[in-house]
């Protein structure tokens, strides 16, 4: 099916493309006879304001996997897929308050660079390779495939040509201008993304409301698809297409309470806290306070996202199931053949654009989708080149490289990454919900990411060998669980992998003595305070584990066993705090940050409380 763009639609879309391309090249221009420095190319010369940081974060995050993939999951599963968005808003608060300040204070360019400074080059290289594989073979491929799928279904562009087109367009200004071009074009793109996305949502709700407005549409949507308005999905409650012509239990994708007490926290903290193409925007902020405010701003935008990318999918589900093709054709004044059908969940958003968004507005809506695709691809390309250049090329191939050589190497590797993505992306065409593919396969590394980075930031006892073996064990442990328990939801597998990695990291760290040096204990008042928090978290962890073991038989249908993750997480926090307060030896490269670094003012605290309150109310009203 194709949308059938009018001349006005093409004009709007082409104007958008020209503006973005021109702006990307213009903001990143250099004076005649000068070359970009590494800081200018990879960190936008540390010039981003809070609103630029927040806008760029969301533009990098929201992409085709949201407009196409999350809408597809909204069509198949419903509002529960919003957990990825709403819990991310809470994760952003944690990252803003505790993670990002340490990175900025230490002048970090890349996440592997931090690992090299905290541990050694081996740990750094292991994670540099992890991120490069994920960016090229999962992120770039999936986003370019979904963007091309939209082009194919809306404009009739063949899939392969669409993949080449979106990758080349995003590559032009990101490869030339670096992060500065990416970040400042993102400010424009996020306005187009949210504005155009909301227009599509309003029109879809108006269609469900039979022309009586969006509030009538929301009411009809809730009544007609009540099962789609639950945030906690029990086992056997919703069956979704499996991509092979059959059905599978949605519980495998979103296993009940695992979304709030399970390993989704590993995904969110790993993604928002330690993922290069996301955190790089915060690293480029003017100051720590600007970075904190930027992440808080992004948290509020994340709360808004399900209304842009999930609600349209549910609306498509209601329209396709509540009305026959003939009825829809009569309403739209067209033929049943022109209305078309939804054969894959990921076709829901293009189907809406085709049938319910009028000419002219359709060009704006597609520009919003294109903004999401291009901004994410540009960020991924830039971060791929940053990691390869700063963490592989410079240390292993050219230690004395000049800024000009670093920028040139970054541009070359970006071109190579684009070529690989062009080759691999078409292979994703057999999937029904590409968003779930992204979550599952990035989930192989996030437990290890959270353990190594989290302990590296805050635990004085973890050693380089402990971090290295944890990194090495991460993917094999995930694969082992996939092979031995193929029917276990991937979020639960991630939780068990996290537990195993915590044990590995802790045992090796406590056994190793050679890397430890004598350190002074915190002053007595602070020591008592830290120890008090450690007792609280240890008790909370033990209670959580015992309670989960007692309840697992009765409540396994909502995935209560996923809370084992939370219990171990609390216990590890307790161990980290206790040993930091009481042990007189520590790893020789341990970080001891000034507590003042984590202070936040009243405006930040009020804003953070607002996010938590909103998320709490949403889960209260749509729990089940």
């Amino acid at each position: 099916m194709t949308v059938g763009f009018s001349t006005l639609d093409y004009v709007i879309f082409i104007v958008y493309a020209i503006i973005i391309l021109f702006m990307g090249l213009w903001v990143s221009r250099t004076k005649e006879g000068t070359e970009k420095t590494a800081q200018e190319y990879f960190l936008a010369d540390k010039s981003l304001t809070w609103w630029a940081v927040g806008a760029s974060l969301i533009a990098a995050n929201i992409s085709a996997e949201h407009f196409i993939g999350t809408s597809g999951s909204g069509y198949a599963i419903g509002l529960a897929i919003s957990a990825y968005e709403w819990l991310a808003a809470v994760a952003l608060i944690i990252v803003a308050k505790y993670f990002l300040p340490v990175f900025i204070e230490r002048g970090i360019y890349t996440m592997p660079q931090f690992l090299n400074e905290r541990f050694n080059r081996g740990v750094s290289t292991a994670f540099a390779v992890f991120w490069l594989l994920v960016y090229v073979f999962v992120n770039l491929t999936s986003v370019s495939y979904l963007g091309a799928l939209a082009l194919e279904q809306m404009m009739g562009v063949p899939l392969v040509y669409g993949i080449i087109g979106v990758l080349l367009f995003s590559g032009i200004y990101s490869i030339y201008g670096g992060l500065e071009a990416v970040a400042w074009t993102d400010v424009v793109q996020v306005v187009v993304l949210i504005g155009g996305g909301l227009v599509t949502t309003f029109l879809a709700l108006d269609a469900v409301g039979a022309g009586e407005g969006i509030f009538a549409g929301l009411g009809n949507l809730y009544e007609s698809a009540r099962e789609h308005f639950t945030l906690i999905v029990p086992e056997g409650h919703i069956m979704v297409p499996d991509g092979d012509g059959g059905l599978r239990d949605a519980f495998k994708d979103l296993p009940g309470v695992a979304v709030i007490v399970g390993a989704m926290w590993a995904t969110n903290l790993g993604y928002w806290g330690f993922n290069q193409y996301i955190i790089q925007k915060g690293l480029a902020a003017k100051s720590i306070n600007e970075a904190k405010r930027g992440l808080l701003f992004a948290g509020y935008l994340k709360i808004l996202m399900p209304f842009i990318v999930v609600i349209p999918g549910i609306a498509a589900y209601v329209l396709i199931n509540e009305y026959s093709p003939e009825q829809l054709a009569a309403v739209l004044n067209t033929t049943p053949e022109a209305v078309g059908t939804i054969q894959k969940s990921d076709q829901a958003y293009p189907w809406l654009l085709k049938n319910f968004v009028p000419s002219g507005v359709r060009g704006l809506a597609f520009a919003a989708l294109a903004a999401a695709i291009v901004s994410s691809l540009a960020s991924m390309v830039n971060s791929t080149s940053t990691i390869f250049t700063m963490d592989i090329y410079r240390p292993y191939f050219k230690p004395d490289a000049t800024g000009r050589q670093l920028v040139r190497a970054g541009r070359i590797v970006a071109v190579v990454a684009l070529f690989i993505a062009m080759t691999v992306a078409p292979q994703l065409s057999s999937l029904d919900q590409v968003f779930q593919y992204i979550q599952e396969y990035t989930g192989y590394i996030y437990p290890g990411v959270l353990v190594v980075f989290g302990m590296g930031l805050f635990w004085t006892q973890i050693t380089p060998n402990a971090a290295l073996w944890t990194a090495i064990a991460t993917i094999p442990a995930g694969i082992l669980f996939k092979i031995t328990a193929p029917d276990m939801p991937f979020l639960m597998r991630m939780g068990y992998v996290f537990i195993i990695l915590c044990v590995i990291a802790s045992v090796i760290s406590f056994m190793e003595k050679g890397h430890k040096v004598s350190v002074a204990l915190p002053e007595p008042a602070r020591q008592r305070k830290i120890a008090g928090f450690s007792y609280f978290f240890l008790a909370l962890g033990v209670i959580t584990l015992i309670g989960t073991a007692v309840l697992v038989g009765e409540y396994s249908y909502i995935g209560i066993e996923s809370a084992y993750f939370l219990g171990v997480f609390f216990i590890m926090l307790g161990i980290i705090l206790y040993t930091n307060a009481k042990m007189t030896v520590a790893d020789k490269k341990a970080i001891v940050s000034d507590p003042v670094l984590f202070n936040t003012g009243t405006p930040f605290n009020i804003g953070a409380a607002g996010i938590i309150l909103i998320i709490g109310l949403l889960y209260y009203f749509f729990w089940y």
Side-chain angles (χ1 to χ4, degrees):
M1 68 179 181
T2 58
V3 172
F5 271 30
S6 69
T7 302
L8 181 59
D9 291 320
Y10 281 113
V11 169
I12 291 173
F13 179 70
I14 291 170
V15 167
Y16 147 76
I18 292 172
I19 289 173
I20 292 301
L21 198 57
F22 173 78
M23 184 176 177
L25 297 174
W26 185 77
V27 299
S28 57
R29 72 198 187 284
T30 56
K31 293 180 180 179
E32 187 175 347
T34 63
E35 296 282 346
K36 280 186 177 295
T37 65
Q39 177 166 295
E40 287 174 332
Y41 190 77
F42 296 117
L43 284 185
D45 206 21
K46 297 185 76 67
S47 62
L48 301 188
T49 57
W50 66 266
W51 46 271
V53 170
S56 190
L57 274 170
I58 295 304
N61 168 241
I62 302 300
S63 186
E65 79 263 27
H66 287 81
F67 274 98
I68 305 296
T70 310
S71 287
S73 293
Y75 175 88
I77 299 172
L79 197 61
I81 199 66
S82 302
Y84 283 102
E85 309 303 311
W86 289 337
L87 292 186
V90 180
L92 279 163
I93 297 172
I94 298 171
V95 173
K97 186 172 177 64
Y98 295 109
F99 298 176
L100 193 56
V102 180
F103 296 143
I104 292 177
E105 185 193 41
R106 298 178 72 86
I108 298 298
Y109 274 69
T110 71
M111 293 299 95
Q113 178 196 347
F114 166 77
L115 294 177
N116 180 50
E117 292 185 6
R118 173 60 180 89
F119 298 115
N120 57 34
R121 180 61 61 190
V123 179
S124 168
T125 302
F127 275 95
V129 172
F130 278 1
W131 286 130
L132 289 174
L133 290 174
V134 169
Y135 289 160
V136 175
F137 290 99
V138 178
N139 294 127
L140 278 174
T141 54
S142 59
V143 172
S144 59
Y145 163 73
L146 286 171
L149 181 66
L151 284 172
E152 182 181 52
Q153 295 178 350
M154 295 177 189
M155 302 175 71
V157 178
L159 187 71
V160 173
Y161 295 128
I163 290 170
I164 294 172
V166 296
L167 285 169
L168 287 180
F169 183 80
S170 58
I172 289 173
Y173 69 85
S174 64
I175 292 173
Y176 170 74
L179 185 62
E180 191 170 28
V182 172
W184 290 110
T185 54
D186 281 350
V187 174
V188 175
Q189 306 228 68
V190 82
V191 174
V192 177
L193 184 159
I194 292 175
L198 285 174
V199 167
T200 304
T201 299
F202 292 156
L203 291 169
L205 289 174
D206 188 59
V208 174
E212 295 182 7
I214 60 171
F215 293 108
L218 278 170
N220 290 351
L221 200 67
Y222 185 79
E223 292 299 323
S224 300
R226 177 64 186 86
E227 73 283 0
H228 274 52
F229 281 87
T230 174
L231 289 172
I232 302 300
V233 178
E235 192 171 11
H237 183 67
I238 299 176
M239 304 303 291
V240 298
D242 61 3
D244 295 320
L247 296 174
R248 68 196 298 263
D249 194 342
F251 182 81
K252 293 186 182 299
D253 298 324
L254 295 166
V257 295
V259 298
I260 52 174
V261 299
M264 190 173 282
W265 286 108
T267 296
N268 274 315
L269 292 174
Y271 178 87
W272 292 100
F274 312 120
N275 185 339
Q276 179 66 28
Y277 86 83
I278 293 297
I279 201 68
Q280 192 167 351
K281 310 304 189 300
L283 299 178
K286 283 183 174 182
S287 66
I288 291 175
N289 284 334
E290 288 287 303
K292 288 178 179 179
R293 287 196 288 265
L295 266 65
L296 193 66
F297 175 46
Y300 278 97
L301 293 178
K302 287 299 284 182
I303 294 175
L304 181 64
M305 283 305 125
F307 298 98
I308 296 175
V309 297
V310 179
I311 295 298
I314 303 175
Y317 173 84
V318 170
L319 291 166
I320 208 79
N321 286 282
E322 291 290 311
Y323 299 92
S324 68
E326 290 74 21
Q327 289 174 313
L328 288 174
V331 171
L332 297 168
N333 195 27
T334 186
T335 64
E337 292 75 22
V339 172
T341 59
I342 298 176
Q343 296 173 328
K344 287 184 176 182
S345 300
D346 284 344
Q347 294 176 344
Y349 199 84
W351 182 83
L352 273 178
L353 287 187
K354 174 195 174 194
N355 290 299
F356 296 97
V357 177
S359 176
V361 178
R362 195 176 294 146
L364 175 63
F366 189 61
L369 174 57
I373 296 166
V374 170
S375 58
S376 290
L377 288 174
S379 292
M380 292 168 191
V381 169
N382 180 258
S383 292
T384 300
S385 68
T386 302
I387 288 179
F388 183 87
T389 303
M390 306 302 288
D391 299 301
I392 294 179
Y393 172 74
R394 184 166 68 174
Y396 289 108
F397 299 100
K398 196 77 171 175
D400 57 347
T402 63
R404 180 177 182 178
Q405 290 171 324
L406 292 175
V407 171
R408 184 175 61 190
R411 286 170 173 162
I412 291 172
V413 78
V415 172
V416 173
L418 289 175
F419 179 78
I420 294 172
M422 288 176 193
T423 305
V424 176
Q427 312 307 314
L428 303 184
S429 58
S430 62
L431 299 176
D432 180 73
Q433 295 179 62
V434 174
F435 185 77
Q436 298 297 350
Y437 159 83
I438 297 168
Q439 301 309 320
E440 178 163 3
Y441 285 93
T442 54
Y444 278 105
I445 70 165
Y446 279 132
V449 168
L450 181 58
V451 171
V452 173
F453 277 93
M455 291 185 181
L457 275 171
F458 301 112
W459 196 24
T460 60
Q461 299 301 310
I462 187 170
T463 63
N465 280 336
L468 180 61
W469 282 106
T470 302
I472 291 171
T474 297
I475 292 179
I479 294 172
L480 181 63
F481 269 96
K482 175 74 170 177
I483 293 172
T484 57
D487 293 330
M488 182 185 293
F490 72 87
L491 280 174
M492 289 188 180
R493 296 201 307 265
M494 284 176 59
Y496 291 124
V497 170
F498 173 83
I499 292 170
I500 291 171
L501 297 180
C502 283
V503 172
I504 291 172
S506 301
V507 169
I508 296 176
S509 294
F510 283 125
M511 287 178 64
E512 281 200 303
K513 304 298 183 183
H515 286 277
K516 304 292 176 65
V517 295
S518 296
V519 293
L521 293 174
E523 55 93 16
R526 179 160 178 78
Q527 187 184 71
R528 287 193 297 272
K529 183 177 181 180
I530 295 173
F533 278 118
S534 76
Y535 300 143
F536 171 77
F537 281 114
L538 285 168
L540 189 60
V542 170
I543 292 169
T544 302
L545 290 179
I546 293 173
T548 302
V550 170
L551 297 173
V552 70
E554 185 177 356
Y555 293 102
S556 62
Y557 73 97
I558 58 169
I560 192 66
E561 59 266 40
S562 59
Y564 286 129
F565 164 89
L566 198 62
V568 172
F569 184 82
F570 287 146
I571 287 174
M572 279 308 311
L573 281 178
I575 291 172
I576 289 169
L577 291 170
Y578 182 83
T579 54
N580 285 353
K582 298 292 188 179
M583 292 191 72
T584 57
V585 294
D587 183 75
K588 64 179 68 175
K589 298 176 77 174
I591 294 174
V592 180
S593 296
D594 185 348
V596 174
L597 201 62
F598 308 119
N599 288 347
T600 47
T602 300
F604 180 94
N605 295 336
I606 292 173
I611 287 176
I612 294 170
L613 176 63
I614 293 169
I615 303 298
L617 289 173
L618 287 167
Y619 269 90
Y620 175 78
F621 286 111
F622 296 109
W623 178 267
Y624 177 64

